[in-house]
Amino acid sequence: MGTIHLFRKPQRSFFGKLLQEFRLVAADRRSWKILLFGAVNVLCTGFLLMWCSSTNSIALTAYTYLTIFDLFSLITCLISYWVMMRKPSPAYSFGFERLEVLAVFASTVLAQLGALFILKESAERFLDQPEIHTGRLLVGTFVALSFNLFTMLSIRNKPFAYVSEAASTSWLQEHVADLSRSVCGIIPGLSSIFLPRMNPFVLIDLAGAFALCITYMLIEINNYFAVDTASAIAIALMTFGTMYPMSVYSGKVLLQTTPPHVIGQLDKLIREVSTLDGVLEVRNEHFWTLGFGSLAGSVHVRIRRDANEQMVLAHVTNRLYTLVSTLTVQIFKDDWIRPALLSGPVASNALNFSDHHIIPMPLLKNVDDRIPVTSTPAKPSSPPPEFSFNTPGKNVSPVILLNTQTRPYGLGLSRGHTPYSSVLGQGLAVPGVGAGQGLRPTFPHVPSRYGNNRTGQPRP
Amino acid sequence: MEEKYGGDARAGPGGGLGPVDVPSARLTKYIVLLCLTKCLKAVGLFESYDLLKAVHIVQFIFILKLGTAFFMVLFQKPFSSGKTITKHQWIKIFKHAVAGCIISLLWFFGLTLCGPLRTLLLFEHSDIVVISLLSVLFTSSGGGPAKTRGAAFFIIAVICLLLFDNDDLMAKMAEHPEGHHDSALTHMLYTAIAFLGVADHKGGVLLLALALCCKVGFHTASRKLSVDVGGPKRLQALSQLVSVFLLCPWVIVLSVTTQSKVESWFSLIVPFTTVIFFVMILDFYMDSICSVKMEVSKCARYGSFPIFISALLFGNFWTHPITDQLRAVNRAAHQEGTEHVLSGGVVVSAVFFILSANILSSPSKRGQKGTLIGYSPEGTPLYHFMGDAFQHSSQSIPRFIKESLKQILEESDSRQIFYFLCLNLLFTFVELFYGVLTNSLGLISDGFHMLFDCSALVMGLFAALMSRWKATRIFSYGYGRIEILSGFINGLFLIVIAFFVFMESVARLIDPPELDTNMLTPVSIGGLIVNLIGICAFSHAHSHGHGTSQGHCHSSDHGHSHHTHGHGDHGHSHGFTGGGMNANMRGVFLHVLADTLGSIGVIVSTVLIEQFGWFIADPLCSLFIAVLIFLSVIPLIKDACQVLLLRLPPEYEKELHIALEKIQKIEGLISYRDPHFWRHSANIIAGTIHIQVTSDVLEQRIVQQVTGILKDAGVNNLTIQVEKEAYFQHMSGLSTGFHDVLAMTKQMESMKYCKDGTYIM
């Protein structure tokens, strides 16, 4: 008894939470349309299932499962609206973007499992073919077809649209594309409809309806009841063909894999990173897609003992940031204890530099303290550090000073810096003399850009 | 100049789509001739079908070969011209002749079995069509979707002939008593077909398909010989001659031992001559001319279309009075007009044959071995070219099986699943076999249910196997997460099953069917035993304390076995301690448990029905089981979802919280941001964190301390980014792109004004 009570309590709150989230989503005007379609879909599916049992046709059942899949895709659409509204929570630190992916994956897998069930049923039917009544067959087909097409074309289903674009082509699409290429050779005007590839959902709806029409014709003309089973198998296979690439794509996202299409770009970036001065090795690279599209990743970079960690970190981050939005870079050195104790130059240089560094530090602290109150910068009392961007070359100089002993570093640094110093130079050429002063006020923005994501993020 | 341009323009479309191209006048002549020959060949085959009713098949082939050899020796003069033929070559020619005889025997026997129309449809495919069909079916690089489509059409056409063609003659042919066969040979073939258990004309279809493959192989093999001997025509002449000598003794024996059905051989001279000319000589010469003058693919395409069309036409009109002039024999046989007539299936399959011949014979683009991977934004197709080295690296099948078996048996998870899968499959096949033997539909459909379930086990096995693969570029953390995905899919599978059981039991609740419970009990007890073994094995291995052994059984109530995969409520009471969680094994276990529940449900309901006659017990049991399955799957799905959504692992939540508090107390540390911790797979907890420190501490020391703290908390794949103030300064400099600079200058200008304003003030 006690366990039942324990069990019930969280469940009720679960439903309560669900209801609350649902209200949140339902507040949006766009989701009303989806809810309306969902209601019509349930009604339609109910009717179709009734007709399935009255006609005893398994092909129509297979087609009805596509309607049920439509319902899932509507739910996915709702979820994607909800995801847009939700902020990351401490437990789900990456946010809920992945829920979209999971919903797509689950609905495609469910559609395939339904198709598997159809295949099993058809195998049984081949042994003992029951009689099919064609009465409602055609009606059911057209109701389902028109409803499916209407849903597909009138609702902008972001996650499914993305997946169907990004996933590899299904065999059905490939064949249609191949056929339509020859058709478009004759009538070029059609190419806008059929090429490069058709929407897979529209395609499978049309193809399924076509199979059902053939079934109807053959049963009416010749009483070939086996055609029903055959077209059920055909629809199930087409469902497999259509859903499989999409579930593979979303499954790969869920498996935290590197998407193959960015591997080339990533390789290029990593090559660039490994040629940065001071970088010895890049390892443990993990790059994966967070939701549909945004990349996340982490990488370990081994650097020379005498290299400047923060400089390398900034450069690596800067390179990879163009592609990977959620990035963590760990810099590590071998034998880092030894140089700290033994090498005189570094220590003395650090001392030399202490006055330069002491200036910025309070700023960071200030920024950190200040941010919870207001994110606006420009605190006149603490002027930005003078040393940094007054002249294009100046920001480099302290670093070179720091490493006077190591020639290669200085050389490499000037090489590595060319992108931004030249850009800066070009940019500065326009405003002319006032450049240095003009840049200065913008500086306080920077920590807020790179250092203050913490604000939105409650500490666990 | 202009004329030349015009000619080019006309030749332009020639390379493209089939029917559109305009062949030059020279080729047109050959194409017309080719079409004509093919039509005549169709006539000849219809004729020979009529002849074969009167003449014994061996005699028929003998006469055919004799006539052909006579004419060819006359035309080709193989002995007086060309090189002399060595003894070795004679042996080869002999082999060639034997093979040729066997193939023509198969061909004409197929003709007697399924009629001229179907023979023409099946057998008259050129080599190139069959070769590209086989390459699509048996090699991975078939040549793009078009070829696949062509192969699919071919198979559909054959299936149409097999399944949807209700040929009236079958009944008639089936009546023939075994003793009436004219010779041992035909008797043997008949017995072979009867052994296969198919109707005669279906046997004929299969026979012809076999003969077609043989023919293609034969042609390919004899190509070298024909070069050696001095041309295919000479080879053909010699080979025909040899086969005449081969068949000669057999025919003599036959004509001595059996009495001929032929009244007068003289009346058959004209039909035989037409058959010899149309089927053998004319066709052979025309093919060899066309293969010289035209491309093979074009030849095949123009050849196949007229022969199929004329076959269809003749098939419809052969017995009609219109064609009486064409029919040289059996003018009186009008009453037999019903046999091998056109049926819907034949027409459909003819259409498919024409399509597939057209597609398969179209020239494949050589050198384009890449696979289509998608389309560029402009709409041009993008291909992925694999090096040849990749394509040839496939292992031999036995070796592959051996290696994967070794891998499976290496680890306990996959080993258990594998053994249980074997047990399950064994049970399934025993059930299926017994079902076929006793002709019990219930058993067979239950067998299909078991196969359906086995698919979940197979998936679990694959996941267990793959999860041990080494990490790659794409799967940078390794494949361990596949187990979780597989567990999730298994959970969805169980939900689908629960849904179907639920629907069916509701339907039965409304309208309870009468059940025949005789067969159920032994089967469900068998299933129960099998699944109990599985439960013992799996729960022992995982000591998760799924002690509640619910039985399961594969229920088969005849006709529609309700598939009850229940599975017990194990999940709610004991949460899994995260460390050893393996979603894959959990999914498999739940599946087995569900099956066990199903068996128990069937046994209970059988007992209730037999003892008390409560027919409502069956749907009620199913309903109960469906609910049980559903409830027990929820925890699995929930856990798998949490992992897939990269949630902070609940079992580490507290420790991580403490760890983060500890981190904050590290000396020199200002703050941290973006702490992400998630479970990647059963044994990888990954984490990333950004840490801001004061500029006077050593980063590596911080990294070491933080790593130590988080490792203690259970995170074993960690990336720590240590940031100092200098980092933000560098970043601000580096991230200044051109646009940023522009924006800055604008801002600067506004600032200036602002400053001016302040100055003024």
Side-chain angles (χ1 to χ4, degrees):
Chain A
M1 266 303 155
T3 50
I4 290 174
H5 279 295
L6 273 177
F7 181 64
R8 226 180 233 170
K9 219 173 173 184
Q11 209 178 27
R12 192 178 286 161
S13 74
F14 171 73
F15 280 118
K17 257 194 271 177
L18 204 68
L19 204 68
Q20 189 191 337
E21 301 294 349
F22 182 74
R23 281 206 196 100
L24 189 72
V25 175
D28 193 348
R29 282 293 295 261
R30 287 171 303 177
S31 51
W32 290 0
K33 192 170 146 196
I34 295 172
L35 289 175
L36 178 73
F37 267 97
V40 178
N41 192 314
V42 170
L43 201 74
C44 190
T45 311
F47 270 110
L48 278 172
L49 283 176
M50 257 165 53
W51 290 339
C52 285
S53 63
S54 78
T55 58
N56 204 11
S57 155
I58 194 167
L60 189 61
T61 316
Y63 200 60
T64 308
Y65 288 168
L66 287 179
T67 318
I68 297 178
F69 170 77
D70 262 358
L71 185 65
F72 291 142
S73 77
L74 289 176
I75 293 172
T76 309
C77 201
L78 274 187
I79 285 176
S80 88
Y81 284 143
W82 179 76
V83 163
M84 277 194 287
M85 282 184 265
R86 278 296 293 251
K87 295 274 174 330
S89 75
Y92 294 91
S93 57
F94 284 108
F96 290 87
E97 259 177 276
R98 292 202 134 217
L99 195 59
E100 240 176 32
V101 188
L102 193 70
V104 169
F105 181 75
S107 37
T108 50
V109 165
L110 281 175
Q112 286 179 72
L113 288 175
L116 191 67
F117 191 79
I118 291 287
L119 283 185
K120 190 208 81 184
E121 287 280 295
S122 337
E124 282 171 23
R125 284 206 174 197
F126 260 125
L127 299 173
D128 177 26
Q129 178 63 49
E131 202 169 310
I132 312 295
H133 312 284
T134 49
R136 300 271 178 193
L137 194 60
L138 219 52
V139 183
T141 307
F142 281 106
V143 167
L145 173 68
S146 51
F147 180 72
N148 281 356
L149 284 184
F150 193 52
T151 313
M152 282 301 159
L153 298 177
S154 63
I155 286 199
R156 238 187 97 259
N157 198 335
K158 200 170 54 96
F160 270 101
Y162 181 86
V163 177
S164 61
E165 294 271 308
S168 59
T169 47
S170 66
W171 61 263
L172 196 63
Q173 279 176 303
E174 237 169 75
H175 283 277
V176 169
D178 191 63
L179 275 181
S180 53
R181 253 200 300 283
S182 21
V183 172
C184 294
I186 304 166
I187 315 165
L190 290 178
S191 60
S192 57
I193 308 170
F194 293 119
L195 289 176
R197 61 183 189 181
M198 269 181 90
N199 184 335
F201 304 111
V202 172
L203 197 61
I204 193 179
D205 286 340
L206 288 177
F210 180 66
L212 273 171
C213 286
I214 288 180
T215 311
Y216 177 79
M217 257 168 48
L218 285 178
I219 290 178
E220 280 288 287
I221 296 168
N222 266 333
N223 278 353
Y224 282 144
F225 293 127
V227 175
D228 180 63
T229 316
S231 70
I233 290 177
I235 294 176
L237 289 181
M238 286 190 292
T239 313
F240 265 117
T242 308
M243 301 301 166
Y244 179 74
M246 282 186 249
S247 48
V248 164
Y249 183 84
S250 50
K252 277 196 173 163
V253 173
L254 290 178
L255 285 177
Q256 288 193 302
T257 56
T258 315
H261 62 270
V262 297
I263 275 198
Q265 282 168 289
L266 271 177
D267 271 340
K268 201 173 135 249
L269 289 179
I270 285 177
R271 255 199 316 277
E272 263 178 44
V273 163
S274 59
T275 52
L276 282 179
D277 187 70
V279 173
L280 294 176
E281 181 190 16
V282 178
R283 58 162 121 160
N284 294 347
E285 321 91 282
H286 301 298
F287 295 103
W288 39 277
T289 30
L290 199 54
F292 288 129
S294 55
L295 267 185
S298 64
V299 68
H300 289 203
V301 178
R302 191 161 71 91
I303 58 170
R304 261 203 330 262
R305 278 207 307 256
D306 50 1
N308 182 335
E309 288 190 19
Q310 296 303 316
M311 177 69 91
V312 174
L313 179 65
H315 278 271
V316 172
T317 311
N318 182 50
R319 292 286 145 81
L320 291 176
Y321 206 75
T322 52
L323 206 59
V324 187
S325 51
T326 311
L327 180 68
T328 311
V329 181
Q330 178 167 349
I331 305 283
F332 68 101
K333 295 177 178 176
D334 291 333
D335 280 344
W336 55 271
I337 301 173
R338 199 155 50 90
L341 296 176
L342 297 182
S343 75
V346 176
S348 62
N349 275 341
L351 277 179
N352 289 345
F353 263 90
S354 55
D355 51 341
H356 279 285
H357 278 278
I358 276 166
I359 301 167
M361 275 339 284
L363 173 70
L364 182 64
K365 272 190 176 147
N366 280 341
V367 168
D368 274 339
D369 297 338
R370 193 180 63 215
I371 264 67
V373 187
T374 164
S375 62
T376 48
K379 210 177 180 188
S381 63
S382 75
E386 291 293 332
F387 73 92
S388 51
F389 296 115
N390 280 347
T391 53
K394 214 175 180 183
N395 61 332
V396 181
S397 61
V399 192
I400 290 174
L401 254 172
L402 177 70
N403 294 285
T404 31
Q405 257 74 14
T406 58
R407 280 294 293 170
Y409 187 68
L411 285 174
L413 193 71
S414 53
R415 181 160 36 94
H417 268 256
T418 37
Y420 89 70
S421 51
S422 66
V423 165
L424 214 58
Q426 281 171 3
L428 290 175
V430 184
V433 196
Q437 288 189 339
L439 283 176
R440 211 199 290 159
T442 63
F443 179 66
H445 286 284
V446 176
S448 72
R449 187 163 161 196
Y450 288 100
N452 293 326
N453 296 354
R454 193 162 51 89
T455 41
Q457 204 154 52
R459 286 176 203 182
Chain B
M1 192 69 199
E2 209 177 315
E3 206 179 324
K4 197 185 172 200
Y5 175 77
D8 278 353
R10 233 183 299 141
L17 307 155
V20 188
D21 63 353
V22 189
S24 64
R26 204 163 47 81
L27 279 186
T28 319
K29 190 172 67 192
Y30 291 109
I31 289 168
V32 169
L33 273 178
L34 182 71
C35 293
L36 205 65
T37 342
K38 292 292 176 188
C39 290
L40 289 179
K41 189 179 185 185
V43 174
L45 269 171
F46 273 88
E47 198 88 46
S48 46
Y49 178 68
D50 286 345
L51 272 174
L52 274 170
K53 281 180 201 155
V55 185
H56 187 266
I57 183 168
V58 181
Q59 284 170 336
F60 176 80
I61 293 174
F62 174 72
I63 295 170
L64 218 58
K65 297 263 175 195
L66 185 68
T68 320
F70 179 71
F71 281 108
M72 290 197 82
V73 169
L74 218 61
F75 290 144
Q76 292 307 128
K77 301 182 183 65
F79 296 106
S80 52
S81 65
K83 306 174 285 187
T84 50
I85 290 161
T86 61
K87 195 185 163 199
H88 188 62
Q89 279 170 344
W90 273 116
I91 293 171
K92 278 193 173 170
I93 290 172
F94 180 75
K95 283 182 193 162
H96 184 269
V98 171
C101 280
I102 290 172
I103 286 169
S104 26
L105 206 64
L106 286 177
W107 179 21
F108 286 108
F109 189 65
L111 179 68
T112 59
L113 283 182
C114 54
L117 171 57
R118 290 157 185 86
T119 310
L120 279 168
L121 287 181
L122 266 170
F123 197 70
E124 297 305 318
H125 292 283
S126 63
D127 298 356
I128 179 172
V129 170
V130 181
I131 286 171
S132 56
L133 170 75
L134 292 178
S135 74
V136 167
L137 290 183
F138 296 109
T139 61
S140 53
S141 57
K147 296 278 173 187
T148 320
R149 201 164 53 238
F153 282 167
F154 196 94
I155 290 165
I156 288 174
V158 173
I159 287 174
C160 271
L161 274 189
L162 279 177
L163 295 185
F164 296 112
D165 176 22
N166 29 18
D167 194 332
D168 294 334
L169 189 69
M170 292 324 84
K172 211 180 289 175
M173 289 293 269
E175 285 166 12
H176 62 76
E178 294 292 314
H180 277 207
H181 293 143
D182 296 330
S183 74
L185 178 81
T186 45
H187 182 72
M188 204 177 69
L189 283 171
Y190 270 119
T191 342
I193 289 169
F195 178 74
L196 282 176
V198 287
D200 273 355
H201 99 291
K202 293 180 185 179
V205 169
L206 294 178
L207 196 72
L208 281 174
L210 182 73
L212 180 63
C213 295
C214 291
K215 183 182 84 166
V216 174
F218 171 64
H219 283 178
T220 319
S222 62
R223 200 166 293 158
K224 187 171 173 291
L225 182 64
S226 72
V227 173
D228 285 348
V229 169
K233 287 175 197 163
R234 195 173 179 214
L235 173 69
Q236 188 72 11
L238 289 171
S239 155
Q240 299 285 4
L241 200 62
V242 172
S243 45
V244 167
F245 290 120
L246 264 174
L247 288 173
C248 192
W250 193 353
V251 171
I252 291 169
V253 171
L254 263 182
S255 47
V256 170
T257 52
T258 60
Q259 62 189 66
S260 176
K261 284 183 277 183
V262 185
E263 299 93 32
S264 72
W265 284 95
F266 287 109
S267 66
L268 293 181
I269 286 178
V270 180
F272 263 118
T273 328
T274 35
V275 169
I276 288 165
F277 267 101
F278 289 167
V279 177
M280 308 295 280
I281 297 177
L282 213 54
D283 183 51
F284 177 74
Y285 277 103
M286 201 58 222
D287 269 351
S288 56
I289 291 169
C290 285
S291 61
V292 173
K293 299 286 179 191
M294 292 193 290
E295 296 164 46
V296 187
S297 59
K298 212 180 255 180
C299 201
R301 204 185 304 157
Y302 289 122
S304 61
F305 190 68
I307 201 165
F308 292 148
I309 291 292
S310 55
L312 275 182
L313 289 178
F314 287 132
N316 206 15
F317 294 118
W318 190 249
T319 50
H320 200 269
I322 300 173
T323 51
D324 272 355
Q325 304 91 294
L326 281 173
R327 309 179 64 206
V329 281
N330 290 352
R331 284 176 195 280
H334 273 285
Q335 72 276 12
E336 285 186 63
T338 51
E339 64 186 36
H340 299 309
V341 286
L342 224 54
S343 74
V346 173
V347 175
V348 171
S349 81
V351 170
F352 276 113
F353 270 127
I354 290 171
L355 282 176
S356 76
N358 207 358
I359 294 169
L360 286 175
S361 64
S362 66
S364 62
K365 292 139 207 153
R366 282 287 162 207
Q368 180 206 304
K369 274 190 178 165
T371 47
L372 187 72
I373 48 169
Y375 293 90
S376 70
E378 293 82 34
T380 51
L382 299 172
Y383 291 96
H384 179 243
F385 290 95
M386 288 250 280
D388 280 349
F390 288 106
Q391 289 189 339
H392 296 299
S393 64
S394 62
Q395 293 170 305
S396 67
I397 292 173
R399 191 191 155 92
F400 175 74
I401 290 174
K402 202 180 139 201
E403 294 219 332
S404 41
L405 262 184
K406 200 179 138 209
Q407 273 186 338
I408 287 169
L409 297 181
E410 250 170 23
E411 210 168 285
S412 71
D413 281 2
S414 52
R415 199 170 52 223
Q416 270 166 359
I417 299 178
F418 180 69
Y419 286 150
F420 185 65
L421 181 68
C422 286
L423 190 69
N424 231 332
L425 281 179
L426 194 76
F427 185 73
T428 309
F429 282 112
V430 167
E431 205 175 26
L432 276 179
F433 184 72
Y434 195 69
V436 170
L437 215 65
T438 58
N439 211 4
S440 145
L441 268 181
L443 273 183
I444 295 176
S445 73
D446 189 56
F448 280 121
H449 268 300
M450 292 284 275
L451 276 184
F452 185 57
D453 288 346
C454 284
S455 60
L457 284 180
V458 169
M459 194 182 61
L461 183 64
F462 269 107
L465 210 60
M466 282 175 81
S467 64
R468 298 206 298 272
W469 289 0
K470 292 273 184 305
T472 61
R473 261 323 290 278
I474 292 188
F475 287 78
S476 58
Y477 289 100
Y479 286 78
R481 210 173 163 83
I482 280 183
E483 287 196 330
I484 288 154
L485 203 66
S486 146
F488 182 68
I489 296 174
N490 254 331
L492 289 182
F493 202 146
L494 282 169
I495 284 187
V496 168
I497 285 168
F499 174 74
F500 283 128
V501 173
F502 185 81
M503 291 303 281
E504 185 151 338
S505 57
V506 167
R508 286 191 189 191
L509 212 56
I510 296 165
D511 177 25
E514 295 285 307
L515 290 178
D516 170 28
T517 50
N518 291 336
M519 273 314 276
L520 291 183
T521 326
V523 173
S524 41
I525 287 178
L528 180 67
I529 291 169
V530 168
N531 285 301
L532 277 180
I533 293 171
I535 284 190
C536 290
F538 289 125
S539 60
H540 174 69
H542 288 280
S543 62
H544 283 316
H546 309 260
T548 53
S549 72
Q550 263 99 351
H552 120 327
C553 68
H554 245 312
S555 71
S556 65
D557 335 352
H558 61 130
H560 1 36
S561 41
H562 50 128
H563 183 120
T564 46
H565 285 277
H567 79 355
D569 49 346
H570 72 302
H572 320 294
S573 38
H574 19 100
F576 291 87
T577 50
M581 186 191 85
N582 183 337
N584 185 31
M585 292 305 277
R586 248 172 97 187
V588 170
F589 179 80
L590 285 186
H591 225 96
V592 178
L593 205 62
D595 282 359
T596 318
L597 268 188
S599 299
I600 287 182
V602 171
I603 292 173
V604 168
S605 60
T606 311
V607 168
L608 286 181
I609 288 170
E610 286 195 346
Q611 295 297 314
F612 307 102
W614 293 346
F615 281 102
I616 198 125
D618 176 56
L620 278 183
C621 260
S622 309
L623 205 66
F624 180 68
I625 285 166
V627 172
L628 270 191
I629 297 174
F630 184 73
L631 287 182
S632 60
V633 151
I634 286 177
L636 171 67
I637 295 245
K638 200 175 134 225
D639 285 0
C641 273
Q642 284 182 348
V643 176
L644 290 176
L645 291 177
L646 304 178
R647 189 195 193 278
L648 189 72
E651 60 275 8
Y652 288 99
E653 217 167 336
K654 208 171 167 192
E655 287 152 66
L656 283 171
H657 195 73
I658 296 168
L660 286 178
E661 271 174 9
K662 262 192 221 162
I663 286 172
Q664 216 150 22
K665 286 178 194 136
I666 292 176
E667 196 183 340
L669 190 134
I670 301 170
S671 70
Y672 64 87
R673 64 184 174 97
D674 296 349
H676 298 300
F677 300 100
W678 70 95
R679 178 189 285 287
H680 178 265
S681 62
N683 39 22
I684 296 179
I685 307 276
T688 61
I689 189 166
H690 293 212
I691 283 171
Q692 280 98 44
V693 295
T694 52
S695 56
D696 52 349
V697 295
L698 272 176
E699 291 97 332
Q700 295 302 318
R701 194 181 297 282
I702 297 285
V703 167
Q704 200 186 34
Q705 283 169 330
V706 173
T707 309
I709 292 170
L710 286 176
K711 278 256 157 73
D712 284 346
V715 184
N716 50 17
N717 189 321
L718 195 59
T719 308
I720 302 157
Q721 176 164 336
V722 183
E723 298 156 349
K724 292 182 180 174
E725 173 59 21
Y727 166 73
F728 296 109
Q729 289 163 8
H730 292 311
M731 279 311 287
S732 66
L734 284 165
S735 62
T736 316
F738 182 66
H739 293 287
D740 289 321
V741 174
L742 272 185
M744 271 184 211
T745 51
K746 278 192 189 128
Q747 204 175 3
M748 179 200 70
E749 275 160 19
S750 63
M751 282 298 236
K752 223 180 202 168
Y753 292 133
C754 201
K755 259 181 194 161
D756 289 348
T758 50
Y759 284 142
I760 291 164
M761 274 170 93

